[in-house]
Structures are given as structure tokens and as C-alpha cells.
Amino acid sequence: MQFDIRRLDLYRKIPKDLTQPTSTGALISVCSVLFISFLFCSELLLFINTEVISELSVEDPVQHSEKIPVFINISLYKMECQYIGLDIQDDMGRHEVGFKDNTQKFPLGANGEGCRFESFFLINKIPGNFHVSTHSSAAQPQNPDMNHRVHKLRFGMEMEEGKTVKGSFNSLEEVDKTKANPLSTHDYILRVVPTVYEDIGGTPRYPYQYTFSYRDIVQYHHGGAAVPAIWFRYDLSPITVRYKEKRKPFYTFLTTVCAIVGGTFTVAGIIDSLIFTAYEIFRKAELGKLS
């Protein structure tokens, strides 16, 4: 006896002349297809987009270097560029007055008043400070005024364009201190947190997050004169924040799609069956054939 493979068919077909289409069934079918399409597109977007997870660890993520790059961009609206300089100090005895490498100054006004100061430099992985002041100037200004606006202060590598993650990578962005006492010394105390960001390909970047607190004081030096400055005192946290991009596995996406399609059609079939059964009972009741 020849074996008929059609016996294994789990989805046996019903002849069309034994089925009955209804307007309600058509409406439910259209709604089901639209609902499935919406859920499918939503799941597809979730699958395509990456998820960023974070974890904490106690480590030095950049073991190949003992230096941290720093970039500062700040505007001083009442000081000429010739008076402004950058000093760098740390607990290992480093003391540089008037750091000039990778430093640029741009006058803000036609008459030379006001200055935008930019600098890129390296600091050691120990507590220290850097400050914008007039200490390195050969001549001191008559009326020093260090009121300012911080456009950017970045530690470590810059995040790639288009990469966004919750964190304090530029906490001082556009901090405005232009209305403070002209004689005030501005003191920022920074807590720097090492950070690792790994993209979907596993390539790491090493930005640093930081938080800050602020105070302003008027300090008088020799001869009773006030010499204001802008201090950034930093300390490093032993905790490292590690961000990692992840994407859902393809089999998870397929499982979800199958669940959406199967679940929707199953629930829609139950709803259609209930409506059709209720309608048949109601019609029989009207004809007096309900018994």
C-alpha cells in the first residue's frame, strides 16, 4: 500500500463552498492585518535600534596611558586676550604657569575687549587643578573681571557624533557666570568618573563624566588687591561606568513576530466566532426557532 504524504498535513483545507464569509469577519480580518502590521513595524524598529546597557566596576579603563586629555572652551567678556593664560597643577608637583601648547585665543570685540579661550592639554590621573588667570601675564589689567561663560569642558575622548547616552559628559556646558561680582574668584570642584563606551562592533571609546559644585569668593593678595581667577579643581573616582551597545538576537525577533501573527489571528478568530454565534442565536430567537 502506497504511503500518502498528505496524511501528515496538519493544515487541512476546507472547500470554499463549505465556508461562509461575513461582513463582520471581513472587518475583523482587516483590523487584524493592520494591528499585525503595526506590531511588526514596532518590533522591527526595536530590533534594528541598539540598546545601551550600563554597569559599574572598580578599574582603570585606560591602562595604556597615565594621562587624561582635557579640552576647555570658555569666553571672558571683560578681559583682553593678552592677559589671559592657563596654569596647571597637580599633587605630583606639576606646576605650569602660562601653558601655551594647543592653546588659542580669539578676541570677541572690535576693540579687543573680551576673549574666547580654548585649550587642549593632558593631566595626570591624580588630583589637581587647572585655572584660567592673569598669573602668566607680564602686566596685570587695571580692573580684572573674570566673569565668564563655559561653552565646553570635556575630559577624555569625545563621544561619536550621533551617539547619545545619559550621563554628565559636559556638565558645565553653557554655564553662565557673567553676572557675578567682577572681583570674584570662581571655584569649580569637579568629580571625574572614568567611562568606557563600546559600540555594537566592540570598539571602545574612553570619555569621562564629571559632576561639579561651585562657589565664588573674593580673594585679596599682596597690597590688598583682588586678583580673580577661574579654578577647576578635579579628583578622580575609582568607579568606572561601562556602557555597551547591544542588539536583540535575530531568533528573538522571529519568535516575537510569530507570536504576534499567531496570537492576533487566534484572538481575532475567537472574537469572530463569538460574534457569529451570538448573531445566529439572535436570528433564531427572532424566527421563534430557539429551543
Side-chain angles (χ1 to χ4, degrees):
M1 182 177 178
Q2 188 176 4
F3 176 74
D4 189 355
I5 195 171
R6 291 179 297 177
R7 294 181 180 180
L8 302 178
D9 187 3
L10 299 177
Y11 308 98
R12 306 217 171 180
K13 313 304 182 289
I14 302 174
K16 287 187 177 181
D17 55 354
L18 298 180
T19 60
Q20 179 182 349
T22 63
S23 300
T24 304
L27 179 61
I28 293 176
S29 298
V30 171
C31 292
S32 299
V33 171
L34 293 176
F35 184 65
I36 289 172
S37 300
F38 169 73
L39 293 182
F40 175 79
C41 293
S42 300
E43 285 298 323
L44 183 61
L45 288 176
L46 288 175
F47 172 71
I48 294 174
N49 294 331
T50 56
E51 177 188 9
V52 179
I53 61 173
S54 62
E55 59 183 21
L56 303 178
S57 61
V58 181
E59 61 172 320
D60 180 3
V62 193
Q63 298 181 358
H64 60 272
S65 175
E66 293 299 321
K67 305 287 186 179
I68 300 174
V70 180
F71 174 77
I72 185 172
N73 182 347
I74 187 172
S75 289
L76 300 94
Y77 299 98
K78 299 295 180 64
M79 293 288 291
E80 296 181 18
C81 288
Q82 61 175 321
Y83 298 119
I84 298 172
L86 179 69
D87 308 329
I88 306 173
Q89 297 175 290
D90 64 31
D91 290 356
M92 287 183 65
R94 179 184 182 183
H95 189 183
E96 295 186 46
V97 179
F99 180 85
K100 294 182 179 179
D101 295 339
N102 301 313
T103 297
Q104 294 179 297
K105 304 176 187 179
F106 306 94
L108 296 178
N111 58 358
E113 184 176 338
C115 182
R116 182 163 63 87
F117 180 87
E118 291 184 4
S119 185
F120 178 81
F121 54 96
L122 300 175
I123 59 174
N124 295 313
K125 293 180 180 179
I126 55 173
N129 71 79
F130 50 91
H131 50 279
V132 178
S133 68
T134 62
H135 298 162
S136 61
S137 176
Q140 294 298 309
Q142 293 288 337
N143 299 303
D145 184 343
M146 301 299 285
N147 287 353
H148 61 280
R149 180 191 295 269
V150 181
H151 302 298
K152 177 177 283 190
L153 177 61
R154 185 187 76 238
F155 290 83
M157 302 172 69
E158 190 165 17
M159 293 287 290
E160 282 188 78
E161 188 175 352
K163 300 289 186 182
T164 56
V165 62
K166 290 183 179 179
S168 304
F169 296 99
N170 189 13
S171 298
L172 286 171
E173 181 177 13
E174 300 304 330
V175 167
D176 188 352
K177 299 298 178 184
T178 56
K179 297 181 180 179
N181 186 336
L183 298 179
S184 289
T185 287
H186 306 270
D187 204 354
Y188 296 95
I189 297 91
L190 312 176
R191 185 67 168 177
V192 182
V193 181
T195 306
V196 182
Y197 188 95
E198 293 184 27
D199 61 20
I200 198 69
T203 304
R205 296 184 71 84
Y206 303 98
Y208 283 73
Q209 302 181 62
Y210 66 92
T211 56
F212 74 94
S213 57
Y214 169 81
R215 63 175 181 173
D216 66 284
I217 54 176
V218 178
Q219 294 179 327
Y220 293 93
H221 293 264
H222 305 293
V227 184
I230 307 170
W231 290 76
F232 300 91
R233 309 178 193 271
Y234 59 87
D235 193 8
L236 271 73
S237 169
I239 302 297
T240 295
V241 181
R242 186 177 294 272
Y243 296 98
K244 193 171 184 178
E245 290 183 353
K246 280 193 173 182
R247 182 173 288 154
K248 286 184 177 181
F250 185 64
Y251 66 83
T252 303
F253 171 69
L254 286 179
T255 303
T256 305
V257 170
C258 291
I260 289 172
V261 175
T264 302
F265 272 119
T266 301
V267 173
I270 293 173
I271 294 173
D272 180 59
S273 179
L274 291 174
I275 293 175
F276 181 76
T277 302
Y279 173 74
E280 287 294 311
I281 293 173
F282 177 75
R283 192 175 64 171
K284 288 181 180 181
E286 281 187 330
L287 297 175
K289 295 182 179 181
L290 187 63
S291 59

